[in-house]
Amino acid sequence: MFHYTSIAEYHARLQEASLTCVQAVEHYLTQIRSKPQLNAFIDVYADEALAKARELDRQRLEGTPMGRLHGVVIGIKDVLAYKDHALTAASGILKGFTSVYSATAIERLLAEEAIIIGNLNCDEFAMGSTNENSVYGKVLNALDESRVPGGSSGGSAVAVQAGLCMVSLGSDTGGSVRQPADFCGIIGLKPTYGRISRYGLIAYASSFDQIGIFSTTVPDAALLLEIMSGADEFDSTVSHREVPAYSKLLNGGEKYRIAWLDQALEHPSLDPEIASGIKQKLEALKAEGHTVQPEKFELLDYIVPAYYVLTTAEASSNLSRYDGIKFGHRTAAKDTDLTELYKRTRSEGFGKEVKRRIMLGTFVLSAGYYDAYFTRAQQVRQLLCRKMDELFKSYDFIIMPTSPVTAFKAGEKTGDPIAMYLADIYTVMANLVGCPAISIPLSTHSNGMPFGLQVMANRFDEVSLLRFSQQLHS
Ligand code: GLN
């Protein structure tokens, strides 16, 4: 019987020949088939994955050295380009579109012999917090199917939560990896902005977007990060900094300087059980010898509005390319002039939430309102960056909840977009300032659902973030 624990243990079993890659892939295909109601996968590349597994088994038996992700079964969010595979961002507007190249991150996984088993459901264009905005229908939380898995990378979270693949990729513009990880009881890592190339990641808000990782162990996340990170000539915003061997730097008993923000833990929207779970954890960390201190923070109520002004502005520009001419869907209506063709194509192709955000973004960028909204939101972003720079002079980490509540019931917030947006209160900060952040499972609420702890570190300090995460999770 196959039981996955970590990449290292899987590799050890392959090497001692008590398991093959084909057996692993067959196991996941069976699991995927047994849970169709979760709706995590859009496409399953069954034949391809099996063929690749056979090839890897053959090479290994011949004595070829194993790649660092040899036979690792990975699912990818439907916003990542994988050459010759359908790519739709869970949107009607990209129906029928096939990738003509692969994202750099995907190329790097494949170069290390990963097996991509399929692409995963998500909110349309990664806009949402519940995975209810997908043209393929909603995704269910495997721990309680009446609840959402979180979003926008809901399929990626559930695929790992329910054991449908070993690790998965998502994208995180405002929490879309950390929040579903929190709702599903797994690990979700958003690296520093620019750590991983965005080439081949469908853009939502380009100055926020970052590819992220879902896993059940810290070493697995560290290994994927190490493989995907680093300079790439196809993304001018990616960092050229050297990539540390994250996966080899995880162990150490350092005592860290940790801050928590008074306003974050005292916020009225925070579930009292989550607040007390986090406070207890802070006490425990103190008892273990870490320095744990409260810090005054007064900007919390500005960050969700700033995030939604800036990201919708960027989205309205990024999504202008879907016009019925270059990609995917084009209206079937005949006798239309060009403007009418654009209008009909976009009206038919985009879902409600995406339309709402394009309109919001167009509004905040319009000449008459630009200064009142866009410029002000940029100022808030600047203030936040300054505040974080100041905090990271004295601290290694900031600890916060990942989400103010546990997984919502399906449909609970769909009628109230503002309430949905406000629940992003703890995750959008890391994207506004570009810092890396991780959600680590912490405890279980009396409602039976898991909740996590979010740790944020200074830009490009993934080494400390992962070392500390390893302490927290082991
Ligand atoms: N929930 C946030 C939003 O709807 C985050 C999305 C994301 O990170 N892609 O914008």
Side-chain angles (χ1 to χ4, degrees):
M1 173 63 190
F2 177 78
H3 174 68
Y4 180 73
T5 51
S6 67
I7 294 173
E9 209 237 4
Y10 170 56
H11 279 175
R13 289 199 57 193
L14 292 176
Q15 261 156 343
E16 68 184 25
S18 65
L19 181 70
T20 65
C21 296
V22 168
Q23 285 170 333
V25 169
E26 278 170 348
H27 164 83
Y28 287 112
L29 292 174
T30 309
Q31 292 303 307
I32 293 168
R33 270 185 229 115
S34 72
K35 293 169 188 161
Q37 77 284 5
L38 298 177
N39 202 22
F41 279 85
I42 298 171
D43 290 321
V44 180
Y45 315 139
D47 295 343
E48 236 177 83
L50 278 171
K52 177 87 182 268
R54 254 180 247 118
E55 174 64 15
L56 291 172
D57 285 338
R58 191 185 56 74
Q59 287 172 8
R60 199 177 57 257
L61 289 175
E62 281 173 358
T64 314
M66 285 164 49
R68 286 185 292 168
L69 293 176
H70 183 93
V72 173
V73 179
I74 301 181
I76 58 174
K77 184 177 180 180
D78 188 32
V79 290
L80 285 156
Y82 182 19
K83 191 173 192 301
D84 298 330
H85 294 77
L87 174 66
T88 69
S91 178
I93 206 141
L94 274 172
K95 271 227 163 127
F97 179 73
T98 302
S99 288
V100 290
Y101 62 88
S102 292
T104 299
I106 301 295
E107 292 279 11
R108 291 183 182 174
L109 298 182
L110 293 172
E112 293 293 343
E113 302 175 355
I115 298 177
I116 296 182
I117 195 161
N119 66 343
L120 295 157
N121 207 344
C122 56
D123 282 303
E124 184 179 1
F125 283 101
M127 297 175 186
S129 306
T130 58
N131 216 135
E132 292 170 294
N133 304 329
S134 163
V135 75
Y136 305 105
K138 63 184 185 208
V139 175
L140 311 184
N141 191 313
L143 279 172
D144 174 349
E145 294 184 5
S146 69
R147 293 182 189 265
V148 303
S152 64
S153 317
S156 303
V158 170
V160 170
Q161 175 199 40
L164 311 182
C165 58
M166 294 174 183
V167 281
S168 68
L169 296 189
S171 63
D172 192 313
T173 303
S176 279
V177 168
R178 290 159 287 149
Q179 183 257 25
D182 174 87
F183 280 13
C184 290
I186 59 172
I187 293 170
L189 170 68
K190 180 203 91 79
T192 305
Y193 179 78
R195 183 69 293 193
I196 300 176
S197 166
R198 288 181 295 115
Y199 180 69
L201 167 66
I202 291 185
Y204 157 16
S206 312
S207 76
F208 293 74
D209 297 340
Q210 185 60 197
I211 293 172
I213 301 156
F214 291 93
S215 68
T216 49
T217 73
V218 175
D220 282 5
L223 182 61
L224 263 79
L225 179 68
E226 176 180 326
I227 289 167
M228 292 189 290
S229 294
D232 175 23
E233 60 175 318
F234 296 119
D235 176 1
S236 61
T237 62
V238 79
S239 169
H240 287 241
R241 283 179 190 234
E242 203 182 313
V243 179
Y246 300 113
S247 65
K248 297 196 176 63
L249 297 170
L250 292 174
N251 298 317
E254 290 94 341
K255 301 300 172 203
Y256 290 107
R257 299 163 302 164
I258 299 162
W260 56 275
L261 309 178
D262 56 354
Q263 217 187 8
L265 283 190
E266 279 144 29
H267 201 268
S269 71
L270 180 60
D271 180 295
E273 278 188 46
I274 299 182
S276 75
I278 296 210
K279 283 180 187 151
Q280 272 172 28
K281 184 69 192 176
L282 289 169
E283 284 305 320
L285 289 168
K286 210 173 188 171
E288 287 167 23
H290 300 281
T291 310
V292 181
Q293 270 167 2
E295 275 289 332
K296 199 156 181 53
F297 189 75
E298 287 166 336
L299 298 166
L300 202 63
D301 290 328
Y302 299 97
I303 67 177
V304 169
Y307 168 82
Y308 277 94
V309 167
L310 295 171
T311 53
T312 55
E314 293 189 23
S316 73
S317 163
N318 274 327
L319 271 59
S320 65
R321 73 191 74 180
Y322 305 105
D323 55 9
I325 307 295
K326 308 183 201 75
F327 315 93
H329 175 74
R330 178 182 301 168
T331 183
K334 297 275 174 256
D335 301 325
T336 53
D337 62 20
L338 188 61
T339 307
E340 191 60 23
L341 179 120
Y342 289 158
K343 276 193 196 162
R344 288 200 186 218
T345 298
R346 288 167 67 82
S347 303
E348 293 164 11
F350 289 131
K352 198 169 157 192
E353 181 61 25
V354 172
K355 285 179 188 162
R356 176 169 22 239
R357 295 198 190 195
I358 292 173
M359 286 191 278
L360 253 171
T362 309
F363 175 75
V364 299
L365 287 174
S366 60
Y369 294 97
Y370 189 93
D371 282 340
Y373 294 102
F374 191 73
T375 306
R376 291 203 120 193
Q378 277 181 311
Q379 287 165 344
V380 172
R381 193 177 198 181
Q382 200 54 47
L383 279 177
L384 272 173
C385 287
R386 257 188 250 147
K387 179 73 188 167
M388 286 301 133
D389 286 344
E390 188 193 307
L391 284 171
F392 285 124
K393 277 190 197 131
S394 319
Y395 297 98
D396 301 302
F397 308 116
I398 297 168
I399 284 188
M400 284 198 291
T402 305
S403 165
V405 287
T406 56
F408 326 131
K409 289 275 184 193
E412 187 183 317
K413 293 217 189 315
T414 40
D416 188 353
I418 302 280
M420 182 95 92
Y421 297 169
L422 286 172
D424 292 335
I425 181 163
Y426 298 120
T427 48
V428 295
M429 175 126 87
N431 306 79
L432 279 158
V433 301
C435 287
I438 193 166
S439 181
I440 309 258
L442 178 64
S443 185
T444 306
H445 193 276
S446 59
N447 66 14
M449 297 311 287
F451 62 90
L453 175 81
Q454 184 183 197
V455 187
M456 219 169 111
N458 203 358
R459 293 181 201 93
F460 296 100
D461 196 8
E462 274 87 353
V463 170
S464 306
L465 182 64
L466 291 164
R467 284 171 83 90
F468 183 47
S469 299
Q470 177 70 344
Q471 286 189 23
L472 289 171
H473 198 245
S474 50

